[in-house]
Amino acid sequence: MTARTRKPGFASRPVNPEGWIRAADTPPGGKPAGEAFTARLTIDITPELRGRIKVAAFRRGVTVTDMLRDLLAREFPPTEGDRS
C-alpha cells in the first residue's frame, strides 16, 4: 500500500496572527468600516429610463452605482444632527 499524503486542512493557521486579527476590521474591498455600504435601495423604473441611466453612466466613464450614489449624495446632503 502507498502511504497517504497529508493534505492541508480547509483552514490553516495564519502566519501572522496579529495581522490576521486586524484584517477583520477592514471589510472586503479595502474600505474602512465607516465607509462601507450597509443598505440596499431598490426602486422601480421603466426599462427606457434604466437604459438612459446606463448610457449616461457609460458616457461619463463611471458605473451606474457610483453615478447614482453621487447624485443621491448631492441631492440629499447630510444635515447637522444626522447620523452618517
Side-chain angles (χ1 to χ4, degrees):
M1 294 221 119
T2 59
R4 195 168 196 197
T5 58
R6 180 160 163 68
K7 293 182 182 178
F10 177 76
S12 59
R13 292 178 187 251
V15 176
N16 178 6
E18 290 300 316
W20 180 68
I21 292 169
R22 276 190 232 110
D25 295 337
T26 305
K31 292 187 179 191
E35 294 179 25
F37 300 108
T38 59
R40 183 173 298 269
L41 176 65
T42 304
I43 59 171
D44 294 324
I45 59 173
T46 64
E48 293 80 18
L49 178 56
R50 180 176 181 261
R52 291 197 311 265
I53 292 169
K54 289 176 74 172
V55 168
F58 179 78
R59 286 182 177 158
R60 295 174 189 184
V62 297
T63 64
V64 171
T65 302
D66 289 338
M67 185 179 76
L68 292 177
R69 281 185 187 133
D70 290 344
L71 172 82
L72 292 170
R74 196 171 51 247
E75 290 297 317
F76 303 100
T79 57
E80 200 166 317
D82 280 354
R83 289 177 52 195
S84 305

